Amino acid sequence: MSRGGRRSSQAVTIQTVAERAGVSMMTVSNVLNNRRNVREQTREAVLEAVRELGYKPNLAARSLASAAAVRIGLLCGMGESGFLSSVLVGAVDESSERGAQLIIRRYTGHDVDAMLELVDELAQLGAGAMIAPPPFCEALSRRDLPIPMVGICSGDELSSTPTVRIDDRAAAKAMTAYLVSLGHRRIGFIRMDPALHAGRTRYEGYCEALAEAGIAIDQSIVAQGSYTFDSGLVAAQQLLSLPQRPTAIFAGNDDMAAAVVSLAHRMGMDIPGELSVAGFDDGPVAVKIWPRLTTIRQPVSAMSAEAMRHAVEIAQGAREADQEATYFDFELVIRDSTAPPKA
Amino acid sequence: MSRGGRRSSQAVTIQTVAERAGVSMMTVSNVLNNRRNVREQTREAVLEAVRELGYKPNLAARSLASAAAVRIGLLCGMGESGFLSSVLVGAVDESSERGAQLIIRRYTGHDVDAMLELVDELAQLGAGAMIAPPPFCEALSRRDLPIPMVGICSGDELSSTPTVRIDDRAAAKAMTAYLVSLGHRRIGFIRMDPALHAGRTRYEGYCEALAEAGIAIDQSIVAQGSYTFDSGLVAAQQLLSLPQRPTAIFAGNDDMAAAVVSLAHRMGMDIPGELSVAGFDDGPVAVKIWPRLTTIRQPVSAMSAEAMRHAVEIAQGAREADQEATYFDFELVIRDSTAPPKA
């Protein structure tokens, strides 16, 4: 089927060449890429059309296709979370934009040696630098790596590793202070995985805000989660079965907050009437549950793109792999899941 | 920091070489990849350690790093949906496994010419084949493309393009028949974007099941959505404001079903007591909302991996790019959002 005229005022394309040579676009591509058997006569017809039309393949693409192109690795867990989709959106767009090859390796476990094997592989594949969200950037930050790493959304600053992040501590403090400002005094908290730096820093922010409000930390309303919805269900069960329940629960991320909302519904509780719930991340789930979550927004795609920019510059030798943290602003997003406590 | 002994019984690694040469792993990597300036003396020390230890870089990685490696393109929209994360999981894992380079290009619009430009770019980057979910595989299936394409989860079989899919029509029919079996007679439907083949086939399945049950199609309870949560809200608003509401709503995908659930909550309706809701896809949102969604599961990661396998074989000349559809089984997953209608 023809794409007639779609680039009438533009440069000669692979399609124009195909039309002139009287062959398919696939044949042109095969000739240009020295692929497969193309009959000599056909090959000559294509090359003649290329010459006549002055066809120049996209130069950025050509250089990208060469072994000399800048290559950047991305280590990720990439389950089905919105967070990791956002990391990928930023990394794919920015690497395309900069003519860098993106090499993705996926790992869902916690074994640091296995992560290091993947970093070795990235180095052997010619990656000049890599970008990595938690848990990778945190687990690998003090290791001797074969290529420089840039951390994305690490829960704290990292020694010897540049990062692109928000201030998790300040963000958690802002959310807690907001709940206090609504009149809550008994605010439960669900911590992230202790292996994640955000497990510590978000909790510290919660404690700081309570301290400033003169509210004592009550460990009976602090539950341990990981980051999954299921871990949030377990933590919510613990907090909501207390004889004296919290009037608000701040979960370390949106998935765990969604679990609190789900369990509260199941128990017949009214949100936010009987219980306020807040999350962290503003992932896609935040607006798909009812009531929609009050949460902290971090611009993950933009942060991932920024990390990719750093990594490309490091790989090109235009920037040092220092240990600077580049900060993005977070945003307290107030929706329907929070309200003053019942009198 | 040392990784002492982590591979004591294993092959010599980049780390062993670094230790023997008394340099960092990054220096070894730089020497092996002919990167940057390494002092001649250091370079020699590294190469001597390589010789002494008989170090062999990962051969798959080496061949991958060369310009001759098989390259497979992936066109995707990759917003923050679970569907696209799943596509990526399958594509990344399978391409790593097969030693193929994955080249991802992202586009979120509907302009076919823009999609074709990206296919040209993939061809120029040396991709020997590409995989693509909707809308790409459907919009491009009748076009003359410079490289063969394998479709993932297309809503119907495609002419001139191999696909890996479930039978959307049969799945939608099974879900509708299940709702009928619960006793529902007034079953609303929210259609997907008419530009998607699934917009047609899932609706056809719904109609077939109603016809077999002797229930007439009532267009007043069929609403048009796209695939987004927000479009689902608009459609739900239309269906739930009818003087005589449906007792069940089957939405063309999970995000739109989640929107029906959200609006019903807001209106104070009990689900599934006053309204049953069913989705399609079994994406991550399905179990994060309350009540958890009854839906159709399609194994997207496995399907994407299968499409990648086909694409690699096509690129290697080991398989023809035919127009065969490879079918995966779907599963009717019954959860909490559906029940018999109130008497």
Side-chain angles (χ1 to χ4, degrees), chain A residues 1-3 6-7 10 13-15 18 23-27 29-30 33 35-36 55 57-62 64-67 71 77-82 84-86 88-89 92-93 96 100-102 104-106 113-114 116-117 120-121 123-128 142-148 229 255 258-259 261-262 265-266 282-285 287-290 292 301 314-315 317, chain B residues 1-3 6-7 10 13-15 18 23-27 29-30 33 35-36 55 57-62 64-67 71 77-82 84-86 88-89 92-93 96 100-102 104-106 113-114 116-117 120-121 123-128 142-148 229 255 258-259 261-262 265-266 282-285 287-290 292 301 314-315 317:
Chain A
M1 212 168 267
S2 160
R3 302 192 242 162
R6 76 179 163 98
R7 300 177 211 162
Q10 293 173 37
T13 67
I14 202 167
Q15 186 206 0
V23 300
S24 72
M25 290 186 7
M26 190 169 326
T27 302
S29 173
N30 287 338
N33 289 290
R35 263 200 311 264
R36 300 177 188 177
Y55 175 61
N58 178 328
L59 289 180
R62 284 274 148 196
L64 240 184
S66 82
R71 294 173 185 191
M78 213 166 68
E80 295 185 326
S81 81
L84 289 157
S85 283
S86 300
L88 277 156
V89 164
V92 166
D93 287 358
S96 305
Q101 265 185 30
L102 175 64
I104 304 173
R105 283 300 175 271
R106 199 172 84 85
D113 286 345
L116 287 166
E117 299 273 0
D120 281 6
E121 189 178 330
Q124 289 180 22
L125 285 166
R142 291 163 174 279
R143 300 301 183 125
D144 170 31
L145 302 176
I147 50 174
F229 182 88
D255 274 359
V261 170
S262 176
H265 279 312
R266 200 176 315 188
D282 201 25
V285 75
V287 292
K288 290 179 186 170
I289 62 172
W290 179 257
R292 298 175 313 151
S301 290
I314 289 169
Chain B
M1 209 167 270
S2 159
R3 300 193 245 163
R6 76 179 165 97
R7 298 178 213 163
Q10 293 175 35
T13 67
I14 202 168
Q15 186 206 359
V23 300
S24 72
M25 292 187 2
M26 190 174 320
T27 302
S29 172
N30 287 338
N33 289 291
R35 261 202 311 267
R36 300 177 189 177
Y55 174 62
N58 179 327
L59 289 180
R62 284 274 147 197
L64 241 183
S66 81
R71 296 173 182 191
M78 211 167 68
E80 296 187 323
S81 82
L84 288 157
S85 282
S86 299
L88 277 156
V89 164
V92 166
D93 288 358
S96 305
Q101 267 186 29
L102 175 65
I104 305 172
R105 284 299 177 270
R106 199 172 83 85
D113 286 344
L116 287 165
E117 299 271 0
D120 281 5
E121 189 179 330
Q124 289 181 21
L125 284 165
R142 291 164 175 279
R143 299 301 182 124
D144 169 30
L145 302 177
I147 50 176
F229 182 88
D255 273 359
V261 170
S262 177
H265 278 313
R266 200 176 315 186
D282 200 24
V285 75
V287 292
K288 291 180 185 169
I289 63 171
W290 180 257
R292 297 175 313 150
S301 290
I314 290 169

Side-chain angles (χ1 to χ4, degrees), chain A residues 180-201:
Chain A
V180 169
S181 79
L182 288 176
H184 294 280
R185 307 285 295 175
R186 196 165 166 72
I187 302 170
F189 189 78
I190 302 179
R191 294 184 70 160
M192 299 264 277
D193 191 334
L196 297 171
H197 289 9
R200 175 173 47 76
T201 50

